[in-house]
Amino acid sequence: MHSVESLEKELARLRCRPRAEAATPVLGEFMVDVAGEPAPYVDRVRAVLSAAVALGATSEFEDQDLPVESIPGWFIAVSSGPGGNPPEFSRNGRDLYVSYTGWVPWDIQDWLYRFAPEEESRGWEWWDATLVGLSRVRVWVDCWGESFFGCEELRWLLCTAGAVHVDGPAVRDVEDWVAETKDGPADAT
């Protein structure tokens, strides 16, 4: 599903909203309620994903630890087990993720390995984020038209970046995204 070329395109979408004509017929959507302002939340999500996607496009994945210098410190802290000391928004998000899944939180290296080009478990690529309320964000992903796809690494990030509630994924017609980007509130780009 992923290649170095697709990761480079994903990185471009993380930096700048894609054009409507570049969209696929359907997108996956996550509705996220956040603690506080939504724009800083989107900035945190984009910063982590930008670093991870860039590593995916440039790193050798050979059963070794990947460099984490480009990953924001709060995300390293929340993904480092009980020894990490993440900020409160991230600790609360970790608890939220565990309440959803019952799973032990993600280790930073396990999480980063989901961005290896040959990794098949990540069934999505970043598309966009739109602000849809005072404390609500809609995160859009390219899910290749699938209604069920591997996305737990994304849910982990969405929760730990400061979410208080995450719904999704749901498959939506691309026209919903187009309408929201033209008529709805501007996103944080």
Side-chain angles (χ1 to χ4, degrees):
M1 284 187 168
H2 305 281
S3 66
V4 171
E5 181 182 338
S6 73
L7 290 168
E8 289 168 350
K9 289 179 181 178
E10 184 177 14
L11 191 55
R13 290 190 302 270
L14 280 156
R15 292 180 178 143
C16 183
R17 174 171 282 151
R19 295 180 331 273
E21 53 275 4
T24 61
V26 296
L27 293 170
E29 172 242 19
F30 292 82
M31 185 65 76
V32 183
D33 294 319
V34 301
E37 295 289 322
Y41 171 85
V42 172
D43 290 343
R44 287 191 296 268
V45 169
R46 280 193 169 128
V48 172
L49 279 179
S50 293
V53 171
L55 282 172
T58 60
S59 295
E60 295 294 324
F61 290 82
E62 298 176 353
D63 295 329
Q64 60 189 11
D65 283 352
L66 295 168
V68 296
E69 293 80 23
S70 62
I71 307 297
W74 66 266
F75 190 72
I76 294 170
V78 77
S79 302
S80 295
N85 188 20
E88 183 178 4
F89 71 83
S90 199
R91 284 193 312 269
N92 293 342
R94 177 180 54 206
D95 295 343
L96 177 66
Y97 180 83
V98 171
S99 77
Y100 285 153
T101 65
W103 297 351
V104 174
W106 283 77
D107 170 77
I108 187 66
Q109 291 296 322
D110 291 341
W111 191 86
L112 288 173
Y113 263 81
R114 291 292 180 114
F115 293 86
E118 66 277 356
E119 175 61 46
E120 296 179 4
S121 61
R122 184 170 77 102
W124 60 275
E125 288 183 355
W126 176 267
W127 190 259
D128 195 13
T130 53
L131 308 182
V132 293
L134 295 177
S135 60
R136 183 168 272 187
V137 174
R138 199 179 321 264
V139 172
W140 301 90
V141 297
D142 186 349
C143 61
W144 302 282
E146 298 294 327
S147 60
F148 182 79
F149 54 94
C151 60
E152 285 307 312
E153 64 283 327
L154 178 59
R155 186 180 318 279
W156 171 249
L157 173 58
L158 295 178
C159 287
T160 60
V164 295
H165 186 79
V166 177
D167 277 334
V171 176
R172 301 275 302 267
D173 188 273
V174 72
E175 294 305 318
D176 296 334
W177 168 75
V178 170
E180 199 159 278
T181 60
K182 289 183 179 184
D183 301 327
D187 78 347
T189 56

